[in-house]
mmCIF file of all heavy atoms in Angstrom:
data_model
loop_
_atom_site.group_PDB
_atom_site.id
_atom_site.type_symbol
_atom_site.label_atom_id
_atom_site.label_comp_id
_atom_site.label_asym_id
_atom_site.label_seq_id
_atom_site.Cartn_x
_atom_site.Cartn_y
_atom_site.Cartn_z
ATOM 1 N N ARG A 24 31.810 -10.475 18.248
ATOM 2 C CA ARG A 24 32.632 -10.194 19.427
ATOM 3 C C ARG A 24 33.141 -11.484 20.046
ATOM 4 O O ARG A 24 34.291 -11.581 20.473
ATOM 5 C CB ARG A 24 31.805 -9.453 20.480
ATOM 6 C CG ARG A 24 31.698 -7.977 20.215
ATOM 7 C CD ARG A 24 30.756 -7.337 21.228
ATOM 8 N NE ARG A 24 29.802 -6.477 20.533
ATOM 9 C CZ ARG A 24 28.581 -6.212 20.971
ATOM 10 N NH1 ARG A 24 28.142 -6.754 22.088
ATOM 11 N NH2 ARG A 24 27.806 -5.410 20.289
ATOM 12 N N LYS A 54 33.096 -0.218 23.726
ATOM 13 C CA LYS A 54 32.747 -0.694 25.056
ATOM 14 C C LYS A 54 33.078 0.360 26.115
ATOM 15 O O LYS A 54 32.240 0.710 26.948
ATOM 16 C CB LYS A 54 33.501 -1.990 25.340
ATOM 17 C CG LYS A 54 33.137 -2.640 26.638
ATOM 18 C CD LYS A 54 33.663 -4.067 26.657
ATOM 19 C CE LYS A 54 33.459 -4.684 28.033
ATOM 20 N NZ LYS A 54 33.804 -6.118 28.028
ATOM 21 N N GLN A 64 25.019 9.472 31.824
ATOM 22 C CA GLN A 64 23.563 9.575 31.698
ATOM 23 C C GLN A 64 22.895 9.260 33.030
ATOM 24 O O GLN A 64 21.949 9.921 33.448
ATOM 25 C CB GLN A 64 23.058 8.613 30.608
ATOM 26 C CG GLN A 64 23.348 9.102 29.210
ATOM 27 C CD GLN A 64 23.032 8.052 28.150
ATOM 28 O OE1 GLN A 64 23.134 6.861 28.397
ATOM 29 N NE2 GLN A 64 22.668 8.509 26.964
ATOM 30 N N ARG A 67 23.292 12.213 35.300
ATOM 31 C CA ARG A 67 22.357 13.282 34.935
ATOM 32 C C ARG A 67 20.953 12.967 35.446
ATOM 33 O O ARG A 67 20.290 13.806 36.049
ATOM 34 C CB ARG A 67 22.326 13.433 33.411
ATOM 35 C CG ARG A 67 21.305 14.453 32.926
ATOM 36 C CD ARG A 67 20.916 14.202 31.480
ATOM 37 N NE ARG A 67 20.318 12.887 31.311
ATOM 38 C CZ ARG A 67 20.173 12.285 30.136
ATOM 39 N NH1 ARG A 67 20.622 12.850 29.043
ATOM 40 N NH2 ARG A 67 19.606 11.087 30.065
ATOM 41 N N SER A 71 19.061 15.181 38.233
ATOM 42 C CA SER A 71 17.856 15.896 37.817
ATOM 43 C C SER A 71 16.678 15.534 38.705
ATOM 44 O O SER A 71 15.858 16.378 39.054
ATOM 45 C CB SER A 71 17.512 15.571 36.360
ATOM 46 O OG SER A 71 18.470 16.124 35.505
ATOM 47 N N LYS A 78 13.101 21.033 44.578
ATOM 48 C CA LYS A 78 12.222 22.123 44.166
ATOM 49 C C LYS A 78 10.812 21.916 44.729
ATOM 50 O O LYS A 78 10.169 22.856 45.202
ATOM 51 C CB LYS A 78 12.182 22.183 42.641
ATOM 52 C CG LYS A 78 11.688 23.503 42.113
ATOM 53 C CD LYS A 78 11.806 23.551 40.598
ATOM 54 C CE LYS A 78 11.141 24.808 40.053
ATOM 55 N NZ LYS A 78 11.081 24.783 38.583
ATOM 56 N N ARG A 382 10.610 -10.801 13.343
ATOM 57 C CA ARG A 382 10.712 -11.711 14.482
ATOM 58 C C ARG A 382 9.432 -12.509 14.688
ATOM 59 O O ARG A 382 8.403 -12.222 14.100
ATOM 60 C CB ARG A 382 11.032 -10.903 15.744
ATOM 61 C CG ARG A 382 12.411 -10.256 15.683
ATOM 62 C CD ARG A 382 12.628 -9.281 16.804
ATOM 63 N NE ARG A 382 11.757 -8.120 16.677
ATOM 64 C CZ ARG A 382 11.688 -7.150 17.557
ATOM 65 N NH1 ARG A 382 12.430 -7.190 18.634
ATOM 66 N NH2 ARG A 382 10.875 -6.132 17.365
ATOM 67 P P G B 24 5.831 17.934 35.218
ATOM 68 O OP1 G B 24 4.996 16.901 34.623
ATOM 69 O OP2 G B 24 5.311 18.771 36.272
ATOM 70 O "O5'" G B 24 7.155 17.256 35.798
ATOM 71 C "C5'" G B 24 7.558 15.955 35.400
ATOM 72 C "C4'" G B 24 8.758 15.576 36.249
ATOM 73 O "O4'" G B 24 9.628 16.708 36.285
ATOM 74 C "C3'" G B 24 8.380 15.247 37.686
ATOM 75 O "O3'" G B 24 8.725 13.890 37.930
ATOM 76 C "C2'" G B 24 9.232 16.148 38.549
ATOM 77 O "O2'" G B 24 10.128 15.359 39.360
ATOM 78 C "C1'" G B 24 10.153 16.831 37.580
ATOM 79 N N9 G B 24 10.403 18.255 37.800
ATOM 80 C C8 G B 24 9.554 19.292 38.023
ATOM 81 N N7 G B 24 10.150 20.454 38.091
ATOM 82 C C5 G B 24 11.501 20.140 37.916
ATOM 83 C C6 G B 24 12.635 20.962 37.886
ATOM 84 O O6 G B 24 12.709 22.178 37.990
ATOM 85 N N1 G B 24 13.796 20.246 37.687
ATOM 86 C C2 G B 24 13.834 18.879 37.527
ATOM 87 N N2 G B 24 15.026 18.343 37.337
ATOM 88 N N3 G B 24 12.787 18.089 37.529
ATOM 89 C C4 G B 24 11.660 18.788 37.741
ATOM 90 P P A B 53 9.028 -7.806 25.451
ATOM 91 O OP1 A B 53 8.956 -9.142 24.837
ATOM 92 O OP2 A B 53 9.565 -7.633 26.820
ATOM 93 O "O5'" A B 53 9.854 -6.855 24.471
ATOM 94 C "C5'" A B 53 9.543 -6.828 23.086
ATOM 95 C "C4'" A B 53 10.364 -5.762 22.403
ATOM 96 O "O4'" A B 53 10.079 -4.474 22.996
ATOM 97 C "C3'" A B 53 11.873 -5.902 22.558
ATOM 98 O "O3'" A B 53 12.427 -6.845 21.666
ATOM 99 C "C2'" A B 53 12.334 -4.480 22.272
ATOM 100 O "O2'" A B 53 12.281 -4.201 20.896
ATOM 101 C "C1'" A B 53 11.246 -3.672 22.964
ATOM 102 N N9 A B 53 11.623 -3.338 24.353
ATOM 103 C C8 A B 53 11.185 -3.913 25.516
ATOM 104 N N7 A B 53 11.718 -3.371 26.595
ATOM 105 C C5 A B 53 12.557 -2.392 26.099
ATOM 106 C C6 A B 53 13.414 -1.455 26.730
ATOM 107 N N6 A B 53 13.562 -1.362 28.043
ATOM 108 N N1 A B 53 14.110 -0.622 25.942
ATOM 109 C C2 A B 53 13.969 -0.721 24.606
ATOM 110 N N3 A B 53 13.199 -1.546 23.900
ATOM 111 C C4 A B 53 12.504 -2.359 24.716
ATOM 112 P P G B 55 19.463 -6.629 21.448
ATOM 113 O OP1 G B 55 20.269 -7.234 20.373
ATOM 114 O OP2 G B 55 18.777 -7.478 22.433
ATOM 115 O "O5'" G B 55 20.357 -5.594 22.263
ATOM 116 C "C5'" G B 55 21.232 -4.726 21.582
ATOM 117 C "C4'" G B 55 21.793 -3.696 22.521
ATOM 118 O "O4'" G B 55 20.731 -3.058 23.274
ATOM 119 C "C3'" G B 55 22.733 -4.182 23.608
ATOM 120 O "O3'" G B 55 24.019 -4.494 23.112
ATOM 121 C "C2'" G B 55 22.747 -2.965 24.521
ATOM 122 O "O2'" G B 55 23.519 -1.923 23.956
ATOM 123 C "C1'" G B 55 21.273 -2.560 24.490
ATOM 124 N N9 G B 55 20.558 -3.147 25.634
ATOM 125 C C8 G B 55 19.637 -4.171 25.621
ATOM 126 N N7 G B 55 19.191 -4.455 26.818
ATOM 127 C C5 G B 55 19.860 -3.573 27.663
ATOM 128 C C6 G B 55 19.793 -3.409 29.073
ATOM 129 O O6 G B 55 19.100 -4.036 29.877
ATOM 130 N N1 G B 55 20.638 -2.409 29.513
ATOM 131 C C2 G B 55 21.449 -1.646 28.700
ATOM 132 N N2 G B 55 22.195 -0.724 29.303
ATOM 133 N N3 G B 55 21.523 -1.783 27.386
ATOM 134 C C4 G B 55 20.703 -2.757 26.942
ATOM 135 P P G B 56 24.963 -5.455 23.949
ATOM 136 O OP1 G B 56 26.130 -5.746 23.099
ATOM 137 O OP2 G B 56 24.166 -6.553 24.530
ATOM 138 O "O5'" G B 56 25.429 -4.522 25.151
ATOM 139 C "C5'" G B 56 26.313 -3.448 24.904
ATOM 140 C "C4'" G B 56 26.639 -2.754 26.203
ATOM 141 O "O4'" G B 56 25.401 -2.306 26.817
ATOM 142 C "C3'" G B 56 27.273 -3.638 27.269
ATOM 143 O "O3'" G B 56 28.661 -3.775 27.063
ATOM 144 C "C2'" G B 56 26.938 -2.868 28.539
ATOM 145 O "O2'" G B 56 27.782 -1.752 28.696
ATOM 146 C "C1'" G B 56 25.528 -2.378 28.234
ATOM 147 N N9 G B 56 24.500 -3.284 28.746
ATOM 148 C C8 G B 56 23.734 -4.176 28.040
ATOM 149 N N7 G B 56 22.890 -4.834 28.780
ATOM 150 C C5 G B 56 23.112 -4.352 30.067
ATOM 151 C C6 G B 56 22.500 -4.686 31.304
ATOM 152 O O6 G B 56 21.592 -5.508 31.507
ATOM 153 N N1 G B 56 23.034 -3.961 32.364
ATOM 154 C C2 G B 56 24.029 -3.026 32.236
ATOM 155 N N2 G B 56 24.411 -2.442 33.360
ATOM 156 N N3 G B 56 24.612 -2.707 31.096
ATOM 157 C C4 G B 56 24.103 -3.396 30.061
ATOM 158 P P U B 57 29.355 -5.163 27.406
ATOM 159 O OP1 U B 57 30.777 -5.041 27.032
ATOM 160 O OP2 U B 57 28.526 -6.275 26.873
ATOM 161 O "O5'" U B 57 29.253 -5.203 29.000
ATOM 162 C "C5'" U B 57 29.983 -4.268 29.784
ATOM 163 C "C4'" U B 57 29.595 -4.421 31.227
ATOM 164 O "O4'" U B 57 28.183 -4.092 31.371
ATOM 165 C "C3'" U B 57 29.694 -5.839 31.784
ATOM 166 O "O3'" U B 57 31.020 -6.185 32.146
ATOM 167 C "C2'" U B 57 28.749 -5.753 32.976
ATOM 168 O "O2'" U B 57 29.361 -5.074 34.046
ATOM 169 C "C1'" U B 57 27.630 -4.877 32.410
ATOM 170 N N1 U B 57 26.532 -5.693 31.853
ATOM 171 C C2 U B 57 25.565 -6.125 32.737
ATOM 172 O O2 U B 57 25.592 -5.862 33.921
ATOM 173 N N3 U B 57 24.573 -6.885 32.179
ATOM 174 C C4 U B 57 24.442 -7.244 30.864
ATOM 175 O O4 U B 57 23.480 -7.927 30.520
ATOM 176 C C5 U B 57 25.490 -6.772 30.004
ATOM 177 C C6 U B 57 26.484 -6.035 30.524
ATOM 178 P P C B 65 19.855 4.589 34.497
ATOM 179 O OP1 C B 65 19.861 6.009 34.903
ATOM 180 O OP2 C B 65 18.633 3.769 34.688
ATOM 181 O "O5'" C B 65 20.270 4.479 32.968
ATOM 182 C "C5'" C B 65 21.446 5.104 32.502
ATOM 183 C "C4'" C B 65 21.636 4.790 31.041
ATOM 184 O "O4'" C B 65 21.804 3.363 30.867
ATOM 185 C "C3'" C B 65 20.446 5.116 30.157
ATOM 186 O "O3'" C B 65 20.398 6.486 29.825
ATOM 187 C "C2'" C B 65 20.693 4.220 28.952
ATOM 188 O "O2'" C B 65 21.715 4.760 28.138
ATOM 189 C "C1'" C B 65 21.233 2.966 29.630
ATOM 190 N N1 C B 65 20.187 1.959 29.882
ATOM 191 C C2 C B 65 19.741 1.181 28.802
ATOM 192 O O2 C B 65 20.226 1.387 27.683
ATOM 193 N N3 C B 65 18.798 0.234 29.012
ATOM 194 C C4 C B 65 18.302 0.044 30.239
ATOM 195 N N4 C B 65 17.375 -0.898 30.399
ATOM 196 C C5 C B 65 18.737 0.825 31.356
ATOM 197 C C6 C B 65 19.672 1.765 31.135
ATOM 198 P P U B 66 18.974 7.182 29.587
ATOM 199 O OP1 U B 66 19.225 8.636 29.461
ATOM 200 O OP2 U B 66 17.985 6.685 30.566
ATOM 201 O "O5'" U B 66 18.571 6.604 28.154
ATOM 202 C "C5'" U B 66 19.389 6.860 27.024
ATOM 203 C "C4'" U B 66 18.887 6.071 25.842
ATOM 204 O "O4'" U B 66 19.008 4.650 26.107
ATOM 205 C "C3'" U B 66 17.408 6.253 25.524
ATOM 206 O "O3'" U B 66 17.176 7.445 24.802
ATOM 207 C "C2'" U B 66 17.119 4.996 24.710
ATOM 208 O "O2'" U B 66 17.603 5.126 23.395
ATOM 209 C "C1'" U B 66 17.969 3.955 25.441
ATOM 210 N N1 U B 66 17.194 3.183 26.429
ATOM 211 C C2 U B 66 16.405 2.153 25.940
ATOM 212 O O2 U B 66 16.323 1.903 24.759
ATOM 213 N N3 U B 66 15.718 1.446 26.889
ATOM 214 C C4 U B 66 15.742 1.659 28.257
ATOM 215 O O4 U B 66 15.071 0.933 28.994
ATOM 216 C C5 U B 66 16.579 2.745 28.682
ATOM 217 C C6 U B 66 17.264 3.457 27.774
ATOM 218 P P G B 77 19.531 19.337 30.895
ATOM 219 O OP1 G B 77 20.295 18.451 30.007
ATOM 220 O OP2 G B 77 19.092 20.657 30.417
ATOM 221 O "O5'" G B 77 18.273 18.539 31.454
ATOM 222 C "C5'" G B 77 18.441 17.214 31.940
ATOM 223 C "C4'" G B 77 17.164 16.709 32.523
ATOM 224 O "O4'" G B 77 16.769 17.559 33.631
ATOM 225 C "C3'" G B 77 15.955 16.755 31.599
ATOM 226 O "O3'" G B 77 15.939 15.657 30.712
ATOM 227 C "C2'" G B 77 14.811 16.710 32.595
ATOM 228 O "O2'" G B 77 14.625 15.412 33.100
ATOM 229 C "C1'" G B 77 15.361 17.594 33.714
ATOM 230 N N9 G B 77 14.918 18.981 33.577
ATOM 231 C C8 G B 77 15.657 20.055 33.151
ATOM 232 N N7 G B 77 14.982 21.177 33.145
ATOM 233 C C5 G B 77 13.714 20.812 33.600
ATOM 234 C C6 G B 77 12.550 21.605 33.810
ATOM 235 O O6 G B 77 12.394 22.814 33.634
ATOM 236 N N1 G B 77 11.494 20.825 34.269
ATOM 237 C C2 G B 77 11.546 19.476 34.506
ATOM 238 N N2 G B 77 10.423 18.913 34.937
ATOM 239 N N3 G B 77 12.627 18.735 34.315
ATOM 240 C C4 G B 77 13.665 19.468 33.869
#
Side-chain angles (χ1 to χ4, degrees):
Chain A
R24 279 175 228 152
K54 185 166 173 173
Q64 285 171 330
R67 176 202 61 196
S71 291
K78 199 174 173 188
R382 294 170 293 176

